[in-house]
């Protein structure tokens, strides 16, 4: 193991140990990642593919909002990191790469620079570490170090018993309503799963709420996509 990687892993272990032992491991890992990378905030997304990804923890309000917008819009560094399998960065000042995300978040969150790094312990994509900075990266920022850190965090989460079950209370359980609602939209409209999820995301975006909120409306039958006319109005 090279010296830089050893230093990163040592700082990660020390930082996790120094925080409250009763706090979930994911929360401690996110906080330490922000500290090591000198970022204003961090978030951890878990999932072996883009459709199943779930942001399980955000260390600050800005990270939580960025995660929600990317989840709903399907645009941003995290979706791109999943598609491309490499670190992806950009800023909210640019309207060229992620125009919808920039429009939705720039006024609310300011000129943030965002970096999403794939977590791929053992070579398999299983999530992403996202950090954000105000302005440019710190002078000593090292992308290779960020990748070491993301892979180490992924390995730690894979070994955390919290991820071994889908029982109620696990973070995976919070994604279940989205899967169930997607199935109901498929049945309502006779479309494929990707299109059904896209409709859920579009509806969440227009209502300015998270995917889970729209999913719950579908599951409670408050929202039925077969009863929405082509202008977007729900039939009475």
């Amino acid at each position: 193991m090279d010296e830089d990687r050893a230093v990163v892993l040592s700082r990660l272990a020390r930082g996790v140990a120094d925080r409250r032992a009763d706090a979930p491991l994911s929360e401690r890992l996110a906080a330490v990642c922000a500290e090591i990378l000198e970022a204003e905030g961090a978030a951890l997304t878990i999932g072996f593919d883009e459709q199943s990804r779930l942001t399980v923890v955000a260390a600050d309000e800005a990270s939580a909002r960025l995660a929600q917008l990317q989840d709903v819009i399907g645009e941003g560094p995290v979706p791109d990191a999943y598609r491309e399998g490499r670190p992806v960065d950009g800023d909210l000042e640019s309207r060229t790469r992620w125009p919808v995300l920039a429009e939705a978040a720039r006024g609310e969150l300011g000129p943030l620079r965002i970096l999403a790094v794939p977590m791929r312990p053992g070579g398999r994509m299983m999530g992403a570490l996202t950090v954000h900075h105000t302005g440019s990266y710190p002078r000593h920022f090292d992308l290779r170090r960020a990748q070491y850190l993301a892979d180490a965090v992924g390995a730690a989460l894979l070994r955390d018993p919290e991820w071994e079950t889908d029982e109620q209370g696990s973070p995976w359980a919070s994604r279940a309503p989205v899967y169930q609602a997607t199935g109901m939209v498929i049945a309502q409209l006779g479309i494929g799963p990707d299109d059904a999820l896209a409709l859920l995301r579009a509806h969440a975006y227009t209502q300015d709420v998270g995917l889970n909120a729209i999913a719950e409306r579908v599951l409670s039958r408050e929202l039925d996509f077969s009863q929405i006319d082509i202008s977007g109005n729900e039939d009475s």
Side-chain angles (χ1 to χ4, degrees), residues 16-227:
V16 168
D18 287 345
R19 283 166 170 78
R20 287 178 25 240
D22 61 340
L25 176 61
S26 56
E27 289 184 10
R28 288 180 282 161
L29 288 168
V32 177
C33 286
E35 180 180 291
I36 292 175
L37 297 178
E38 301 179 55
E40 277 77 21
L44 301 178
T45 299
I46 304 297
F48 292 105
D49 56 59
E50 187 185 352
Q51 298 302 325
S52 66
R53 63 183 170 84
L54 168 67
T55 299
V56 295
V57 64
D60 62 297
E61 291 184 7
S63 292
R65 182 58 173 156
L66 281 169
Q68 181 191 39
L69 287 171
Q70 291 180 88
D71 196 26
V72 168
I73 296 170
E75 175 183 282
V78 173
D80 283 0
Y82 267 87
R83 295 176 192 128
E84 300 173 16
R86 63 174 182 82
V88 174
D89 79 317
D91 62 69
L92 295 184
E93 289 294 290
S94 172
R95 294 172 179 263
T96 56
R97 184 162 194 178
W98 307 306
V100 181
L101 177 66
E103 182 67 26
R106 193 168 59 127
E108 181 179 347
L109 300 176
L112 297 181
R113 189 169 186 87
I114 316 164
L115 170 69
V117 186
M119 294 191 291
R120 48 190 186 205
R124 183 185 180 189
M125 180 79 168
M126 57 81 63
L129 162 65
T130 307
V131 294
H132 64 84
H133 298 83
T134 301
S136 59
Y137 289 135
R139 186 163 60 91
H140 299 296
F141 181 82
D142 184 341
L143 185 56
R144 187 181 66 160
R145 179 177 301 172
Q147 186 64 70
Y148 285 157
L149 183 60
D151 291 343
V153 168
L157 290 176
L158 282 175
R159 288 164 175 76
D160 184 1
E162 185 178 22
W163 313 111
E164 295 178 359
T165 176
D166 283 341
E167 294 175 2
Q168 192 65 32
S170 164
W172 294 114
S174 66
R175 195 64 170 184
V178 177
Y179 297 143
Q180 294 165 7
T182 299
M184 289 183 66
V185 176
I186 291 171
Q188 290 168 2
L189 300 178
I191 59 179
D194 289 347
D195 290 342
L197 182 58
L199 282 176
L200 289 172
R201 281 179 169 156
H203 213 73
Y205 179 66
T206 59
Q207 300 293 319
D208 194 25
V209 297
L211 266 178
N212 270 28
I214 293 299
E216 293 292 352
R217 289 188 61 198
V218 172
L219 294 176
S220 68
R221 292 176 171 74
E222 178 187 346
L223 173 62
D224 184 337
F225 279 82
S226 68
Q227 301 302 313

